[in-house]
Structure formats: structure tokens, C-alpha cells
Amino acid sequence: MSAALWPVPPPFMWSCVTCSTLLDLLNESLLLTDASPTCEQGLYVQIALARHIATDHPQSLPAAHDEDCLICLGYRSRVQDPGGMWAEHRARSLFLPDAFARRL
């Protein structure tokens, strides 16, 4: 995948030791697997990074995606977000291309 499609993570992620460590791990895992964000190791790092952002940086989470995101529509229709999963879903768009960020 072209590097031009990847978003530049916001400054708060570079100043946070956990975020920057997980970004480095994500980069390493993608380099080892032909830059496929769907590789197993990369997937675990994505989940860990999204969970960290949702838990430790909730003020930096992006707003819900547009109406074309079926996952956001599903979360909007629920009374309660199960375990902060919607926050993790939105956090992924800070460091992944939309095509991959919106899969989980």
C-alpha cells in the first residue's frame, strides 16, 4: 500500500511513550509482512494502540465517521457502547488508512 494513503499520526501520539512505542511496533510488523495491515501481528498492535488511545487520550478521539460507515451507524443505534469499542474504532482512523480503519 502506498505510504501516501497512510495518515500522519497527530502530535499527541508522538509525545506519548506508549503511543510512539506502539506506532514503531506497528511499522515493524507491517514491514515484516509486506505492508499488509491485515497481518495477525499488525492486527494485535492496532488493537492495543486503539485501546490505549481510547482509554488514555479520549479527548483526542475523532468524531463518528460519516453516514457511510456501517460500524458507526451500528454503534449509534445502541443504547450503550460495549467496552469502549466505538472509541477504539474511531481511534484507528488516527493511524490507519480509512479502508483499514473502518474494518473493526
Side-chain angles (χ1 to χ4, degrees):
M1 171 175 291
S2 168
L5 298 176
W6 289 77
V8 175
F12 83 86
M13 292 181 74
W14 299 111
S15 62
C16 171
V17 174
T18 303
C19 283
S20 59
T21 299
L22 289 169
L23 283 169
D24 287 343
L25 285 171
L26 180 61
N27 183 52
E28 288 174 21
S29 68
L30 296 176
L31 290 173
L32 292 172
T33 57
D34 299 323
S36 173
T38 58
C39 78
E40 190 171 293
Q41 180 182 354
L43 181 60
Y44 292 132
V45 176
Q46 290 174 39
I47 292 168
L49 182 52
R51 184 166 294 148
H52 165 72
I53 293 168
T55 302
D56 293 357
H57 307 288
Q59 72 284 0
S60 299
L61 287 169
H65 298 115
D66 298 331
E67 296 297 318
D68 65 336
C69 179
L70 297 177
I71 294 174
C72 280
L73 288 174
Y75 281 120
R76 277 191 193 115
S77 69
R78 293 185 178 135
V79 174
Q80 186 177 6
D81 177 10
M85 292 171 58
W86 191 13
E88 293 174 19
H89 165 75
R90 294 187 334 261
R92 290 166 47 87
S93 63
L94 294 172
F95 58 89
L96 291 173
D98 275 347
F100 296 107
R102 294 186 183 197
R103 287 186 180 175
L104 289 179

